[in-house]
PDB file of all heavy atoms in Angstrom:
ATOM      1  N   SER A  77       0.837  -1.163  -0.013  1.00  0.00           N
ATOM      2  CA  SER A  77       0.003   0.100  -0.007  1.00  0.00           C
ATOM      3  C   SER A  77       0.842   1.212   0.005  1.00  0.00           C
ATOM      4  O   SER A  77       2.045   1.191   0.332  1.00  0.00           O
ATOM      5  CB  SER A  77      -0.889  -0.055   1.211  1.00  0.00           C
ATOM      6  OG  SER A  77      -0.223   0.067   2.369  1.00  0.00           O
ATOM      7  N   PHE A  78       0.302   2.274  -0.499  1.00  0.00           N
ATOM      8  CA  PHE A  78       1.051   3.608  -0.546  1.00  0.00           C
ATOM      9  C   PHE A  78      -0.052   4.763  -0.327  1.00  0.00           C
ATOM     10  O   PHE A  78      -1.284   4.440  -0.533  1.00  0.00           O
ATOM     11  CB  PHE A  78       1.742   3.719  -1.721  1.00  0.00           C
ATOM     12  CG  PHE A  78       1.034   3.840  -3.053  1.00  0.00           C
ATOM     13  CD1 PHE A  78       0.561   4.981  -3.647  1.00  0.00           C
ATOM     14  CD2 PHE A  78       0.685   2.578  -3.674  1.00  0.00           C
ATOM     15  CE1 PHE A  78      -0.254   5.040  -4.772  1.00  0.00           C
ATOM     16  CE2 PHE A  78      -0.122   2.612  -4.888  1.00  0.00           C
ATOM     17  CZ  PHE A  78      -0.483   3.851  -5.415  1.00  0.00           C
ATOM     18  N   TYR A  79       0.444   5.855   0.095  1.00  0.00           N
ATOM     19  CA  TYR A  79      -0.371   7.089   0.171  1.00  0.00           C
ATOM     20  C   TYR A  79      -0.351   7.889  -1.026  1.00  0.00           C
ATOM     21  O   TYR A  79       0.767   8.156  -1.467  1.00  0.00           O
ATOM     22  CB  TYR A  79      -0.092   7.946   1.393  1.00  0.00           C
ATOM     23  CG  TYR A  79      -0.399   7.248   2.737  1.00  0.00           C
ATOM     24  CD1 TYR A  79       0.566   6.413   3.402  1.00  0.00           C
ATOM     25  CD2 TYR A  79      -1.704   7.189   3.274  1.00  0.00           C
ATOM     26  CE1 TYR A  79       0.246   5.793   4.620  1.00  0.00           C
ATOM     27  CE2 TYR A  79      -1.973   6.399   4.405  1.00  0.00           C
ATOM     28  CZ  TYR A  79      -0.961   5.774   5.122  1.00  0.00           C
ATOM     29  OH  TYR A  79      -1.227   5.058   6.202  1.00  0.00           O
ATOM     30  N   GLN A  80      -1.419   8.245  -1.587  1.00  0.00           N
ATOM     31  CA  GLN A  80      -1.519   9.082  -2.790  1.00  0.00           C
ATOM     32  C   GLN A  80      -1.660  10.511  -2.201  1.00  0.00           C
ATOM     33  O   GLN A  80      -2.733  11.006  -1.863  1.00  0.00           O
ATOM     34  CB  GLN A  80      -2.605   8.683  -3.619  1.00  0.00           C
ATOM     35  CG  GLN A  80      -2.839   9.556  -4.887  1.00  0.00           C
ATOM     36  CD  GLN A  80      -1.752   9.193  -5.888  1.00  0.00           C
ATOM     37  OE1 GLN A  80      -1.339   8.103  -6.034  1.00  0.00           O
ATOM     38  NE2 GLN A  80      -1.197  10.294  -6.524  1.00  0.00           N
ATOM     39  N   LYS A  81      -0.565  11.306  -2.113  1.00  0.00           N
ATOM     40  CA  LYS A  81      -0.503  12.599  -1.579  1.00  0.00           C
ATOM     41  C   LYS A  81      -0.929  13.736  -2.673  1.00  0.00           C
ATOM     42  O   LYS A  81      -1.263  14.818  -2.251  1.00  0.00           O
ATOM     43  CB  LYS A  81       0.733  12.963  -1.022  1.00  0.00           C
ATOM     44  CG  LYS A  81       1.112  12.087   0.191  1.00  0.00           C
ATOM     45  CD  LYS A  81       2.344  12.476   0.737  1.00  0.00           C
ATOM     46  CE  LYS A  81       2.696  11.434   1.875  1.00  0.00           C
ATOM     47  NZ  LYS A  81       2.546  11.961   3.292  1.00  0.00           N
ATOM     48  N   GLU A  82      -1.041  13.345  -3.828  1.00  0.00           N
ATOM     49  CA  GLU A  82      -1.412  14.309  -4.883  1.00  0.00           C
ATOM     50  C   GLU A  82      -2.879  14.603  -4.809  1.00  0.00           C
ATOM     51  O   GLU A  82      -3.659  13.655  -4.613  1.00  0.00           O
ATOM     52  CB  GLU A  82      -1.018  13.759  -6.287  1.00  0.00           C
ATOM     53  CG  GLU A  82       0.476  13.582  -6.394  1.00  0.00           C
ATOM     54  CD  GLU A  82       0.800  12.876  -7.787  1.00  0.00           C
ATOM     55  OE1 GLU A  82       0.199  11.837  -8.048  1.00  0.00           O
ATOM     56  OE2 GLU A  82       1.677  13.424  -8.444  1.00  0.00           O
ATOM     57  N   GLU A  83      -3.229  15.755  -5.138  1.00  0.00           N
ATOM     58  CA  GLU A  83      -4.690  16.108  -5.168  1.00  0.00           C
ATOM     59  C   GLU A  83      -5.401  15.436  -6.283  1.00  0.00           C
ATOM     60  O   GLU A  83      -6.652  15.345  -6.266  1.00  0.00           O
ATOM     61  CB  GLU A  83      -4.910  17.513  -5.061  1.00  0.00           C
ATOM     62  CG  GLU A  83      -4.381  18.132  -3.747  1.00  0.00           C
ATOM     63  CD  GLU A  83      -4.758  19.676  -3.677  1.00  0.00           C
ATOM     64  OE1 GLU A  83      -5.540  20.152  -4.520  1.00  0.00           O
ATOM     65  OE2 GLU A  83      -4.247  20.362  -2.770  1.00  0.00           O
ATOM     66  N   ASN A  84      -4.701  15.139  -7.383  1.00  0.00           N
ATOM     67  CA  ASN A  84      -5.280  14.684  -8.607  1.00  0.00           C
ATOM     68  C   ASN A  84      -4.882  13.209  -8.875  1.00  0.00           C
ATOM     69  O   ASN A  84      -3.772  12.927  -8.930  1.00  0.00           O
ATOM     70  CB  ASN A  84      -5.010  15.448  -9.817  1.00  0.00           C
ATOM     71  CG  ASN A  84      -5.540  16.972  -9.834  1.00  0.00           C
ATOM     72  OD1 ASN A  84      -6.633  17.063  -9.352  1.00  0.00           O
ATOM     73  ND2 ASN A  84      -4.775  17.901 -10.165  1.00  0.00           N
ATOM     74  N   ILE A  85      -5.844  12.435  -9.087  1.00  0.00           N
ATOM     75  CA  ILE A  85      -5.672  11.051  -9.350  1.00  0.00           C
ATOM     76  C   ILE A  85      -6.283  10.797 -10.915  1.00  0.00           C
ATOM     77  O   ILE A  85      -7.428  11.039 -11.088  1.00  0.00           O
ATOM     78  CB  ILE A  85      -6.319   9.977  -8.356  1.00  0.00           C
ATOM     79  CG1 ILE A  85      -5.842  10.211  -6.986  1.00  0.00           C
ATOM     80  CG2 ILE A  85      -6.209   8.550  -8.785  1.00  0.00           C
ATOM     81  CD1 ILE A  85      -6.657   9.576  -5.939  1.00  0.00           C
ATOM     82  N   THR A  86      -5.472  10.411 -11.690  1.00  0.00           N
ATOM     83  CA  THR A  86      -5.890  10.307 -13.138  1.00  0.00           C
ATOM     84  C   THR A  86      -5.978   8.817 -13.504  1.00  0.00           C
ATOM     85  O   THR A  86      -5.056   8.000 -13.338  1.00  0.00           O
ATOM     86  CB  THR A  86      -4.974  11.144 -14.034  1.00  0.00           C
ATOM     87  OG1 THR A  86      -4.881  12.486 -13.538  1.00  0.00           O
ATOM     88  CG2 THR A  86      -5.477  11.038 -15.460  1.00  0.00           C
ATOM     89  N   THR A  87      -7.033   8.478 -14.156  1.00  0.00           N
ATOM     90  CA  THR A  87      -7.260   7.100 -14.562  1.00  0.00           C
ATOM     91  C   THR A  87      -8.465   6.997 -15.549  1.00  0.00           C
ATOM     92  O   THR A  87      -9.031   8.046 -15.830  1.00  0.00           O
ATOM     93  CB  THR A  87      -7.669   6.179 -13.281  1.00  0.00           C
ATOM     94  OG1 THR A  87      -7.820   4.919 -13.552  1.00  0.00           O
ATOM     95  CG2 THR A  87      -8.937   6.605 -12.729  1.00  0.00           C
ATOM     96  N   ASP A  88      -8.713   5.977 -16.206  1.00  0.00           N
ATOM     97  CA  ASP A  88      -9.719   5.900 -17.158  1.00  0.00           C
ATOM     98  C   ASP A  88     -11.084   5.553 -16.667  1.00  0.00           C
ATOM     99  O   ASP A  88     -12.097   5.947 -17.240  1.00  0.00           O
ATOM    100  CB  ASP A  88      -9.344   4.729 -18.226  1.00  0.00           C
ATOM    101  CG  ASP A  88      -8.105   5.012 -19.026  1.00  0.00           C
ATOM    102  OD1 ASP A  88      -7.947   6.238 -19.333  1.00  0.00           O
ATOM    103  OD2 ASP A  88      -7.353   4.055 -19.351  1.00  0.00           O
ATOM    104  N   LEU A  89     -11.123   4.873 -15.417  1.00  0.00           N
ATOM    105  CA  LEU A  89     -12.366   4.464 -14.833  1.00  0.00           C
ATOM    106  C   LEU A  89     -12.311   4.505 -13.404  1.00  0.00           C
ATOM    107  O   LEU A  89     -11.260   4.003 -12.687  1.00  0.00           O
ATOM    108  CB  LEU A  89     -12.770   3.015 -15.307  1.00  0.00           C
ATOM    109  CG  LEU A  89     -14.101   2.587 -14.978  1.00  0.00           C
ATOM    110  CD1 LEU A  89     -15.111   3.289 -15.973  1.00  0.00           C
ATOM    111  CD2 LEU A  89     -14.239   1.115 -15.394  1.00  0.00           C
ATOM    112  N   ILE A  90     -13.239   5.251 -12.703  1.00  0.00           N
ATOM    113  CA  ILE A  90     -13.232   5.229 -11.318  1.00  0.00           C
ATOM    114  C   ILE A  90     -14.666   4.795 -10.839  1.00  0.00           C
ATOM    115  O   ILE A  90     -15.663   5.213 -11.387  1.00  0.00           O
ATOM    116  CB  ILE A  90     -13.133   6.798 -10.782  1.00  0.00           C
ATOM    117  CG1 ILE A  90     -11.792   7.390 -11.257  1.00  0.00           C
ATOM    118  CG2 ILE A  90     -13.169   6.780  -9.307  1.00  0.00           C
ATOM    119  CD1 ILE A  90     -11.747   8.786 -11.002  1.00  0.00           C
ATOM    120  N   SER A  91     -14.663   3.951  -9.854  1.00  0.00           N
ATOM    121  CA  SER A  91     -15.920   3.496  -9.275  1.00  0.00           C
ATOM    122  C   SER A  91     -15.890   3.797  -7.846  1.00  0.00           C
ATOM    123  O   SER A  91     -15.003   3.347  -7.133  1.00  0.00           O
ATOM    124  CB  SER A  91     -16.180   1.969  -9.525  1.00  0.00           C
ATOM    125  OG  SER A  91     -17.380   1.536  -8.861  1.00  0.00           O
ATOM    126  N   LEU A  92     -16.798   4.592  -7.267  1.00  0.00           N
ATOM    127  CA  LEU A  92     -16.833   5.152  -5.984  1.00  0.00           C
ATOM    128  C   LEU A  92     -17.985   4.658  -5.072  1.00  0.00           C
ATOM    129  O   LEU A  92     -19.072   4.797  -5.664  1.00  0.00           O
ATOM    130  CB  LEU A  92     -16.803   6.688  -5.936  1.00  0.00           C
ATOM    131  CG  LEU A  92     -15.708   7.401  -6.692  1.00  0.00           C
ATOM    132  CD1 LEU A  92     -16.142   8.750  -7.233  1.00  0.00           C
ATOM    133  CD2 LEU A  92     -14.402   7.513  -5.868  1.00  0.00           C
ATOM    134  N   ILE A  93     -17.743   4.283  -3.904  1.00  0.00           N
ATOM    135  CA  ILE A  93     -18.863   4.038  -2.997  1.00  0.00           C
ATOM    136  C   ILE A  93     -18.521   4.792  -1.667  1.00  0.00           C
ATOM    137  O   ILE A  93     -17.414   4.683  -1.200  1.00  0.00           O
ATOM    138  CB  ILE A  93     -18.964   2.528  -2.720  1.00  0.00           C
ATOM    139  CG1 ILE A  93     -19.537   1.829  -3.930  1.00  0.00           C
ATOM    140  CG2 ILE A  93     -19.915   2.379  -1.541  1.00  0.00           C
ATOM    141  CD1 ILE A  93     -19.762   0.298  -3.785  1.00  0.00           C
ATOM    142  N   SER A  94     -19.435   5.584  -1.235  1.00  0.00           N
ATOM    143  CA  SER A  94     -19.219   6.446  -0.001  1.00  0.00           C
ATOM    144  C   SER A  94     -19.852   5.538   1.161  1.00  0.00           C
ATOM    145  O   SER A  94     -20.769   4.715   0.907  1.00  0.00           O
ATOM    146  CB  SER A  94     -19.789   7.803  -0.081  1.00  0.00           C
ATOM    147  OG  SER A  94     -21.230   7.689  -0.327  1.00  0.00           O
ATOM    148  N   PHE A  95     -19.364   5.794   2.287  1.00  0.00           N
ATOM    149  CA  PHE A  95     -19.877   5.015   3.458  1.00  0.00           C
ATOM    150  C   PHE A  95     -20.025   6.110   4.599  1.00  0.00           C
ATOM    151  O   PHE A  95     -19.203   7.010   4.742  1.00  0.00           O
ATOM    152  CB  PHE A  95     -19.137   3.832   3.810  1.00  0.00           C
ATOM    153  CG  PHE A  95     -17.691   4.024   4.131  1.00  0.00           C
ATOM    154  CD1 PHE A  95     -17.244   4.295   5.518  1.00  0.00           C
ATOM    155  CD2 PHE A  95     -16.829   3.903   3.175  1.00  0.00           C
ATOM    156  CE1 PHE A  95     -15.919   4.451   5.645  1.00  0.00           C
ATOM    157  CE2 PHE A  95     -15.416   3.972   3.422  1.00  0.00           C
ATOM    158  CZ  PHE A  95     -15.006   4.279   4.723  1.00  0.00           C
ATOM    159  N   ALA A  96     -20.910   5.754   5.543  1.00  0.00           N
ATOM    160  CA  ALA A  96     -21.134   6.716   6.683  1.00  0.00           C
ATOM    161  C   ALA A  96     -21.553   5.849   7.931  1.00  0.00           C
ATOM    162  O   ALA A  96     -22.105   4.635   7.792  1.00  0.00           O
ATOM    163  CB  ALA A  96     -22.205   7.727   6.461  1.00  0.00           C
ATOM    164  N   GLY A  97     -21.359   6.406   9.073  1.00  0.00           N
ATOM    165  CA  GLY A  97     -21.700   5.721  10.331  1.00  0.00           C
ATOM    166  C   GLY A  97     -20.759   6.493  11.382  1.00  0.00           C
ATOM    167  O   GLY A  97     -20.580   7.692  11.274  1.00  0.00           O
ATOM    168  N   GLU A  98     -20.216   5.709  12.286  1.00  0.00           N
ATOM    169  CA  GLU A  98     -19.190   6.219  13.190  1.00  0.00           C
ATOM    170  C   GLU A  98     -18.025   6.777  12.518  1.00  0.00           C
ATOM    171  O   GLU A  98     -17.368   7.728  12.872  1.00  0.00           O
ATOM    172  CB  GLU A  98     -18.771   5.156  14.097  1.00  0.00           C
ATOM    173  CG  GLU A  98     -19.725   4.950  15.398  1.00  0.00           C
ATOM    174  CD  GLU A  98     -19.083   3.935  16.293  1.00  0.00           C
ATOM    175  OE1 GLU A  98     -17.891   4.041  16.732  1.00  0.00           O
ATOM    176  OE2 GLU A  98     -19.781   3.016  16.676  1.00  0.00           O
ATOM    177  N   HIS A  99     -17.796   6.184  11.407  1.00  0.00           N
ATOM    178  CA  HIS A  99     -16.628   6.571  10.420  1.00  0.00           C
ATOM    179  C   HIS A  99     -17.283   6.803   9.102  1.00  0.00           C
ATOM    180  O   HIS A  99     -18.313   6.115   8.744  1.00  0.00           O
ATOM    181  CB  HIS A  99     -15.652   5.520  10.266  1.00  0.00           C
ATOM    182  CG  HIS A  99     -14.790   5.295  11.539  1.00  0.00           C
ATOM    183  ND1 HIS A  99     -15.292   4.541  12.558  1.00  0.00           N
ATOM    184  CD2 HIS A  99     -13.655   5.700  11.925  1.00  0.00           C
ATOM    185  CE1 HIS A  99     -14.426   4.534  13.677  1.00  0.00           C
ATOM    186  NE2 HIS A  99     -13.376   5.223  13.262  1.00  0.00           N
ATOM    187  N   SER A 100     -16.674   7.623   8.300  1.00  0.00           N
ATOM    188  CA  SER A 100     -17.186   7.923   6.989  1.00  0.00           C
ATOM    189  C   SER A 100     -16.058   7.992   6.060  1.00  0.00           C
ATOM    190  O   SER A 100     -14.802   8.268   6.438  1.00  0.00           O
ATOM    191  CB  SER A 100     -18.035   9.256   6.926  1.00  0.00           C
ATOM    192  OG  SER A 100     -17.141  10.376   7.330  1.00  0.00           O
ATOM    193  N   GLY A 101     -16.341   7.787   4.778  1.00  0.00           N
ATOM    194  CA  GLY A 101     -15.324   7.794   3.793  1.00  0.00           C
ATOM    195  C   GLY A 101     -15.655   7.420   2.380  1.00  0.00           C
ATOM    196  O   GLY A 101     -16.930   7.306   2.192  1.00  0.00           O
ATOM    197  N   ILE A 102     -14.725   6.995   1.637  1.00  0.00           N
ATOM    198  CA  ILE A 102     -14.986   6.472   0.242  1.00  0.00           C
ATOM    199  C   ILE A 102     -14.018   5.358   0.078  1.00  0.00           C
ATOM    200  O   ILE A 102     -12.885   5.389   0.415  1.00  0.00           O
ATOM    201  CB  ILE A 102     -14.612   7.677  -0.771  1.00  0.00           C
ATOM    202  CG1 ILE A 102     -15.495   8.972  -0.550  1.00  0.00           C
ATOM    203  CG2 ILE A 102     -14.876   7.159  -2.165  1.00  0.00           C
ATOM    204  CD1 ILE A 102     -15.146  10.122  -1.290  1.00  0.00           C
ATOM    205  N   ILE A 103     -14.523   4.409  -0.643  1.00  0.00           N
ATOM    206  CA  ILE A 103     -13.779   3.273  -1.097  1.00  0.00           C
ATOM    207  C   ILE A 103     -13.955   3.336  -2.680  1.00  0.00           C
ATOM    208  O   ILE A 103     -15.121   3.560  -3.130  1.00  0.00           O
ATOM    209  CB  ILE A 103     -14.113   1.945  -0.534  1.00  0.00           C
ATOM    210  CG1 ILE A 103     -13.196   0.867  -0.954  1.00  0.00           C
ATOM    211  CG2 ILE A 103     -15.524   1.504  -0.868  1.00  0.00           C
ATOM    212  CD1 ILE A 103     -13.160  -0.425  -0.219  1.00  0.00           C
ATOM    213  N   ALA A 104     -12.853   3.238  -3.423  1.00  0.00           N
ATOM    214  CA  ALA A 104     -12.910   3.452  -4.886  1.00  0.00           C
ATOM    215  C   ALA A 104     -11.979   2.457  -5.666  1.00  0.00           C
ATOM    216  O   ALA A 104     -10.996   2.007  -5.049  1.00  0.00           O
ATOM    217  CB  ALA A 104     -12.425   4.832  -5.237  1.00  0.00           C
ATOM    218  N   LEU A 105     -12.429   2.143  -6.730  1.00  0.00           N
ATOM    219  CA  LEU A 105     -11.615   1.247  -7.648  1.00  0.00           C
ATOM    220  C   LEU A 105     -11.107   2.180  -8.782  1.00  0.00           C
ATOM    221  O   LEU A 105     -11.942   2.750  -9.435  1.00  0.00           O
ATOM    222  CB  LEU A 105     -12.464   0.047  -8.150  1.00  0.00           C
ATOM    223  CG  LEU A 105     -11.794  -0.959  -9.003  1.00  0.00           C
ATOM    224  CD1 LEU A 105     -10.678  -1.621  -8.253  1.00  0.00           C
ATOM    225  CD2 LEU A 105     -12.872  -2.008  -9.582  1.00  0.00           C
ATOM    226  N   PHE A 106      -9.810   2.106  -9.060  1.00  0.00           N
ATOM    227  CA  PHE A 106      -9.287   3.036 -10.003  1.00  0.00           C
ATOM    228  C   PHE A 106      -8.651   1.994 -11.026  1.00  0.00           C
ATOM    229  O   PHE A 106      -7.714   1.227 -10.686  1.00  0.00           O
ATOM    230  CB  PHE A 106      -8.178   3.905  -9.505  1.00  0.00           C
ATOM    231  CG  PHE A 106      -8.695   4.844  -8.380  1.00  0.00           C
ATOM    232  CD1 PHE A 106      -8.487   4.566  -7.095  1.00  0.00           C
ATOM    233  CD2 PHE A 106      -9.188   6.123  -8.752  1.00  0.00           C
ATOM    234  CE1 PHE A 106      -8.983   5.407  -6.036  1.00  0.00           C
ATOM    235  CE2 PHE A 106      -9.582   7.003  -7.791  1.00  0.00           C
ATOM    236  CZ  PHE A 106      -9.511   6.631  -6.505  1.00  0.00           C
ATOM    237  N   CYS A 107      -9.080   2.101 -12.308  1.00  0.00           N
ATOM    238  CA  CYS A 107      -8.262   1.239 -13.299  1.00  0.00           C
ATOM    239  C   CYS A 107      -8.369   1.858 -14.727  1.00  0.00           C
ATOM    240  O   CYS A 107      -9.194   2.705 -14.994  1.00  0.00           O
ATOM    241  CB  CYS A 107      -9.093  -0.192 -13.349  1.00  0.00           C
ATOM    242  SG  CYS A 107     -10.752  -0.239 -13.385  1.00  0.00           S
ATOM    243  N   ASN A 108      -7.239   1.460 -15.453  1.00  0.00           N
ATOM    244  CA  ASN A 108      -7.183   2.015 -16.746  1.00  0.00           C
ATOM    245  C   ASN A 108      -8.107   1.018 -17.642  1.00  0.00           C
ATOM    246  O   ASN A 108      -8.688   0.012 -17.262  1.00  0.00           O
ATOM    247  CB  ASN A 108      -5.781   1.945 -17.299  1.00  0.00           C
ATOM    248  CG  ASN A 108      -5.161   0.535 -17.381  1.00  0.00           C
ATOM    249  OD1 ASN A 108      -5.784  -0.465 -17.741  1.00  0.00           O
ATOM    250  ND2 ASN A 108      -3.882   0.404 -17.114  1.00  0.00           N
ATOM    251  N   LYS A 109      -8.317   1.523 -18.889  1.00  0.00           N
ATOM    252  CA  LYS A 109      -9.311   0.820 -19.696  1.00  0.00           C
ATOM    253  C   LYS A 109      -8.916  -0.572 -19.960  1.00  0.00           C
ATOM    254  O   LYS A 109      -9.778  -1.583 -19.874  1.00  0.00           O
ATOM    255  CB  LYS A 109      -9.227   1.549 -21.064  1.00  0.00           C
ATOM    256  CG  LYS A 109     -10.257   0.900 -22.141  1.00  0.00           C
ATOM    257  CD  LYS A 109     -10.305   1.633 -23.441  1.00  0.00           C
ATOM    258  CE  LYS A 109     -11.083   0.986 -24.495  1.00  0.00           C
ATOM    259  NZ  LYS A 109     -11.136   1.770 -25.703  1.00  0.00           N
ATOM    260  N   SER A 110      -7.671  -0.953 -20.144  1.00  0.00           N
ATOM    261  CA  SER A 110      -7.316  -2.264 -20.418  1.00  0.00           C
ATOM    262  C   SER A 110      -7.617  -3.254 -19.295  1.00  0.00           C
ATOM    263  O   SER A 110      -8.169  -4.358 -19.500  1.00  0.00           O
ATOM    264  CB  SER A 110      -5.791  -2.286 -20.668  1.00  0.00           C
ATOM    265  OG  SER A 110      -5.298  -3.612 -20.943  1.00  0.00           O
ATOM    266  N   ILE A 111      -7.402  -2.817 -18.108  1.00  0.00           N
ATOM    267  CA  ILE A 111      -7.600  -3.864 -16.944  1.00  0.00           C
ATOM    268  C   ILE A 111      -9.105  -3.852 -16.704  1.00  0.00           C
ATOM    269  O   ILE A 111      -9.600  -4.883 -16.260  1.00  0.00           O
ATOM    270  CB  ILE A 111      -6.740  -3.477 -15.671  1.00  0.00           C
ATOM    271  CG1 ILE A 111      -6.894  -4.604 -14.641  1.00  0.00           C
ATOM    272  CG2 ILE A 111      -7.113  -2.096 -14.969  1.00  0.00           C
ATOM    273  CD1 ILE A 111      -6.023  -5.843 -14.976  1.00  0.00           C
ATOM    274  N   ALA A 112      -9.791  -2.686 -16.853  1.00  0.00           N
ATOM    275  CA  ALA A 112     -11.200  -2.792 -16.793  1.00  0.00           C
ATOM    276  C   ALA A 112     -11.860  -3.747 -17.636  1.00  0.00           C
ATOM    277  O   ALA A 112     -12.828  -4.463 -17.372  1.00  0.00           O
ATOM    278  CB  ALA A 112     -11.807  -1.343 -16.961  1.00  0.00           C
ATOM    279  N   LEU A 113     -11.461  -3.739 -18.955  1.00  0.00           N
ATOM    280  CA  LEU A 113     -11.938  -4.596 -19.993  1.00  0.00           C
ATOM    281  C   LEU A 113     -11.656  -6.164 -19.583  1.00  0.00           C
ATOM    282  O   LEU A 113     -12.505  -6.972 -19.732  1.00  0.00           O
ATOM    283  CB  LEU A 113     -11.425  -4.354 -21.339  1.00  0.00           C
ATOM    284  CG  LEU A 113     -11.872  -3.006 -21.818  1.00  0.00           C
ATOM    285  CD1 LEU A 113     -11.225  -2.720 -23.278  1.00  0.00           C
ATOM    286  CD2 LEU A 113     -13.401  -2.851 -21.977  1.00  0.00           C
TER     287      LEU A 113
END
């Protein structure tokens, strides 16, 4: 694992799910076109 400190993440496809409760956040899948296919 690594921390993405840049403000911009560039990719071909982003799938995001937000969550809320005692903790909140986002889980996302980032992939280029080739791996998505």
Side-chain angles (χ1 to χ4, degrees):
S77 65
F78 62 95
Y79 290 97
Q80 182 72 37
K81 295 184 187 250
E82 298 172 313
E83 289 186 16
N84 295 318
I85 300 168
T86 304
T87 188
D88 295 325
L89 193 68
I90 303 170
S91 177
L92 303 154
I93 292 184
S94 60
F95 57 90
E98 283 183 46
H99 292 79
S100 60
I102 301 169
I103 187 163
L105 182 64
F106 301 93
C107 47
N108 65 33
K109 179 180 177 180
S110 178
I111 193 75
L113 294 174

